[in-house]
Amino acid sequence: MSVKNQFSKYAKEYKTHNIIQQIIAKSLVRELKTKPNRILELGCGSGQVYNNILWDVDYYKAIDFSASMCELHPKGKNVEIKCFDFDTQEFLNDIKNDSYDIVLSSSALQWSEDLSKIIKQLSLITKEINAVLFTSNTFKTIQDITKTKSPILDEQSIKEAFSKYFLCEFETIMYK
């Protein structure tokens, strides 16, 4: 089953089982140095990041590839929710004339088929990205036992993709 189908199938239950993602979303927002007014969020899910933004925003565009997740995302007068796969040309066409104070992404961009390409495109519409990504070390024990390779990029590849287009600070956190 594809990643998209998995998220769609379990959308209603996801919120009760994504404890790490909830912690990460809260931390992502807490670490912001400013209170941006125009925000693009990639992989918005059911609204974990949005629910932690406690100031008024002029515009908030929330993107997720699961229509079921988009339905669960909180609605608001300045909120636009779109069901897009951020790896598609359709998404890139949708944002090409946009401008954002910041792009946020919590536990989503690691699923990109071409992280460097998406980061390059985002660099044309914002000067700042705050993102949390899982690395290929996620579920390492399971990978070792099943002798499978992670579909997620390794830490160095992620750092390289971001560093090509942004001045970056990185923090690596291990949860057990």
Side-chain angles (χ1 to χ4, degrees):
M1 185 178 284
S2 75
V3 172
K4 180 179 181 179
N5 288 341
Q6 288 280 35
F7 278 103
S8 292
K9 182 177 179 181
Y10 298 105
K12 286 189 170 64
E13 291 88 17
Y14 186 73
K15 197 171 186 177
T16 60
H17 299 290
N18 68 344
I19 295 160
I20 295 294
Q21 288 87 342
Q22 290 177 42
I23 292 168
I24 289 168
K26 187 174 191 172
S27 176
L28 180 70
V29 174
R30 185 181 60 237
E31 295 294 322
L32 295 177
K33 294 171 177 56
T34 64
K35 294 180 178 175
N37 287 312
R38 290 186 55 81
I39 300 171
L40 170 64
E41 182 188 355
L42 302 181
C44 66
S46 59
Q48 293 91 350
V49 171
Y50 180 79
N51 287 332
N52 284 287
I53 294 176
L54 304 177
W55 63 90
D56 291 330
V57 297
D58 293 337
Y59 181 66
Y60 194 100
K61 184 183 265 188
I63 305 293
D64 203 286
F65 67 2
S66 167
S68 300
M69 288 293 206
C70 289
E71 288 173 18
L72 297 174
H73 193 282
K75 313 302 185 261
K77 66 176 180 143
N78 298 330
V79 178
E80 181 179 13
I81 303 162
K82 289 203 166 184
C83 188
F84 280 124
D85 178 339
F86 51 66
D87 277 322
T88 64
Q89 192 60 48
E90 182 182 21
F91 165 68
L92 297 177
N93 289 342
D94 185 72
I95 65 164
K96 70 180 177 187
N97 295 318
D98 291 357
S99 177
Y100 297 95
D101 297 329
I102 197 165
V103 172
L104 300 175
S105 183
S106 181
S107 311
L109 281 171
Q110 72 269 2
W111 299 113
S112 177
E113 294 172 9
D114 190 344
L115 184 61
S116 189
K117 177 182 176 183
I118 187 79
I119 299 302
K120 178 182 180 181
Q121 294 304 309
L122 293 173
S123 74
L124 302 174
I125 63 168
T126 190
K127 295 196 181 325
E128 187 175 353
I129 293 181
N130 280 28
V132 176
L133 287 81
F134 291 108
T135 70
S136 59
N137 278 333
T138 303
F139 305 122
K140 187 72 171 151
T141 304
I142 294 171
Q143 294 171 48
D144 291 343
I145 291 169
T146 60
K147 307 236 184 296
T148 57
K149 185 177 185 266
S150 175
I152 302 172
L153 292 173
D154 62 273
E155 183 178 351
Q156 188 58 37
S157 298
I158 291 168
K159 287 179 176 181
E160 288 172 7
F162 279 90
S163 295
K164 280 185 206 174
Y165 305 101
F166 291 92
L167 180 62
C168 300
E169 293 178 26
F170 296 99
E171 180 179 11
T172 303
I173 300 172
M174 288 186 68
Y175 291 95
K176 291 189 179 199

